[in-house]
Amino acid sequence: MTDQRKHDHFIHAPERRVGALGIVRNPDGHVLFVEKKESTASHTSPYYLPGGCVEENEPFLDGLVRAARRKMGVTLEPGRLLAVHHMYGKQWEDHYSREGINLLYDCGVWEKDPEFELGPDVARVSWVAPEDMRGLTMTFTADRVDAALRALSGGDVEVLADH
């Protein structure tokens, strides 16, 4: 195989994860987080945003709705794109995290909590004030939410990079 064909991204596309995540707020401005039942890796936090990885050939918004329904038993109604986060591939002590792109969408303000039907790997859902996110979530998760909230306050869609 020629060097030219080896680097043709249409023939040999790089493997990347794509995540679609929702920003759900309550009237007090708190953001909805999902908490995993278990987090065994030392570099992770059990708190994450609703949504998850998009399946192959699945539209981004469909993946967001599917993942939220599976984890929380609710149907999100995603709106506009708020932020894009490019996560570089990274070797951690106990595993390799593949490069990924995460898309954050506005999923509105909920006046009251729906009846959640939590999936088997979910401990609970929690409303978290933006000022309380740091230390509770991974730094990159808090950075994503901050960027999304700036967009919701009239700012532009931001593109973040790295962990």
Side-chain angles (χ1 to χ4, degrees), residues 19-26 31-34 48-52 60-80 82 103-118 125 127:
L21 307 171
I23 301 292
V24 180
R25 294 155 290 132
N26 68 15
V31 177
L32 185 68
F33 279 89
V34 179
Y48 59 95
L49 293 167
F60 303 144
L61 298 180
D62 291 354
L64 170 56
V65 171
R66 176 193 46 76
R69 190 177 299 127
R70 182 176 53 81
K71 294 175 185 176
M72 302 184 311
V74 297
T75 301
L76 296 181
E77 296 180 15
R80 75 180 183 103
L82 301 173
L103 307 167
L104 283 77
Y105 292 94
D106 178 13
C107 290
V109 175
W110 288 356
E111 296 297 324
K112 62 180 189 155
D113 284 358
E115 290 292 324
F116 291 106
E117 294 178 24
L118 303 181
V125 295
W127 294 103

Side-chain angles (χ1 to χ4, degrees), residues 80-85 102-105 147-148 150-152 154-160:
R80 75 180 183 103
L81 180 67
L82 301 173
V84 177
H85 189 184
N102 294 280
L103 307 167
L104 283 77
Y105 292 94
R150 284 191 296 270
L152 283 165
D156 293 331
V157 171
E158 293 183 34
V159 178
L160 308 171

